[in-house]
Amino acid sequence: MQLTQKHHEYWSKNLRVTAILLAIWFIVTFVVGYYSRELSFNFFGWPFSFWMGAQGALIIYVVIIWYYARYMNALDLEYGVHEGEDA
């Protein structure tokens, strides 16, 4: 199957948003955890490093999933590759 310019644009946008979201995931998972001792201020009464590890990272993961699903639904509609209600 020959890919058209429209296919290349779709996958380019898909890969770009995936790379950005994976970079955010990496920063939240590894960078914040690695530098957690330096994050020694209180956040809602807890040390920020503890809060980020226990609650903040989970919230950010859910936001990443929500954003990706919403973005891809819009992208699918834009390029006409969405799943119809018949599926």
Side-chain angles (χ1 to χ4, degrees):
M1 178 178 154
Q2 188 69 14
L3 294 179
T4 65
Q5 182 63 28
K6 194 172 180 181
H7 288 107
H8 286 290
E9 290 174 9
Y10 175 84
W11 282 108
S12 174
K13 289 181 180 183
N14 184 357
L15 292 175
R16 187 178 318 118
V17 75
T18 301
I20 291 168
L21 293 176
L22 279 175
I24 294 169
W25 169 83
F26 179 82
I27 290 168
V28 168
T29 303
F30 295 107
V31 175
V32 173
Y34 184 76
Y35 291 106
S36 65
R37 291 185 190 255
E38 286 81 21
L39 301 171
S40 60
F41 60 91
N42 283 339
F43 187 76
F44 292 119
W46 295 90
F48 183 73
S49 58
F50 173 79
W51 187 87
M52 192 62 189
Q55 302 297 326
L58 297 176
I59 292 169
I60 292 173
Y61 298 153
V62 170
V63 169
I64 287 172
I65 293 167
W66 170 82
Y67 179 79
Y68 182 75
R70 187 169 175 205
Y71 179 84
M72 288 308 297
N73 282 335
L75 193 65
D76 289 350
L77 285 171
E78 178 183 342
Y79 284 90
V81 295
H82 64 285
E83 295 180 9
E85 293 184 21
D86 299 339

